[in-house]
């Protein structure tokens, strides 16, 4: 699923960048007129950098999820590698959250109709990231205890 998410994110990123840089195919559409009115005072460099930063963070987070799933599938559950993968996934979730918040703040500065919105997704992402970091600590302690027990035998 993470690989499918990475693939679809890359496709959406290329289409979004093409629209941001080259304009939409039908300038008579209502969506184009609304988008053009909102982005009239926004520098193109800001739009492109915002899109690239958000999609890059999302791809890296999905890649980390893929690595975590591979580590859980291939190796023992109580290992340092699994603990590192959980911690990395939690860190990438926090990075995605930070990039999204910075993008919202930048959009609110440039676009008069934009507002900074703090929704349920924000809080769920924070909870999930903290949960991943907590699981990482638990798995790391379990791996240390398992190594210590193997040393006694």
């Amino acid at each position: 699923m993470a690989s499918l998410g990475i693939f679809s994110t890359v496709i959406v990123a290329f289409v979004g960048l093409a629209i941001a840089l080259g304009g939409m195919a039908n300038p008579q559409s209502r969506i184009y007129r609304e988008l053009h009115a909102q982005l009239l005072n926004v520098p193109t460099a800001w739009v492109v950098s915002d899109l690239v930063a958000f999609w890059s963070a999302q791809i890296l987070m999905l890649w980390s999820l893929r690595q975590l799933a591979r580590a859980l599938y291939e190796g023992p559950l109580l290992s340092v590698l699994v603990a590192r993968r959980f911690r990395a996934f939690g860190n990438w979730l926090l990075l995605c959250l930070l990039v999204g918040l910075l993008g919202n703040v930048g959009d609110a500065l440039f676009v008069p109709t934009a507002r900074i919105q703090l929704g349920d997704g924000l809080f769920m992402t924070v909870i999930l990231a903290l949960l991943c970091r907590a699981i990482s600590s638990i798995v790391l302690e379990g791996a240390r205890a398992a190594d210590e027990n193997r040393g006694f035998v």
Side-chain angles (χ1 to χ4, degrees), residues 80-152:
V80 176
L81 179 66
V82 171
R84 276 194 224 136
R85 297 293 187 221
F86 266 111
R87 185 170 300 267
F89 181 62
N91 291 341
W92 286 118
L93 278 172
L94 289 176
L95 178 73
C96 283
L97 180 73
L98 183 64
V99 167
L101 282 175
L102 290 176
N104 282 342
V105 169
D107 291 345
L109 292 175
F110 287 119
V111 181
T113 59
R115 293 179 290 141
I116 299 174
Q117 298 177 359
L118 303 176
D120 293 340
L122 169 84
F123 299 112
M124 291 304 293
T125 304
V126 169
I127 289 170
L128 184 60
L130 292 175
L131 184 64
C132 285
R133 292 184 59 85
I135 290 172
S136 168
S137 298
I138 292 168
V139 169
L140 188 61
E141 287 301 316
R144 287 181 185 154
D147 286 342
E148 185 179 321
N149 287 339
R150 282 189 213 108
F152 287 132

Side-chain angles (χ1 to χ4, degrees), residues 55-87:
W55 286 321
S56 298
Q58 188 173 7
I59 287 171
L60 289 171
M61 184 264 307
L62 288 169
W63 184 259
S64 177
L65 178 63
R66 188 174 186 271
Q67 289 178 330
L68 172 63
R70 179 179 288 154
L72 287 171
Y73 180 74
E74 292 176 353
L77 294 179
L78 293 178
S79 68
V80 176
L81 179 66
V82 171
R84 276 194 224 136
R85 297 293 187 221
F86 266 111
R87 185 170 300 267

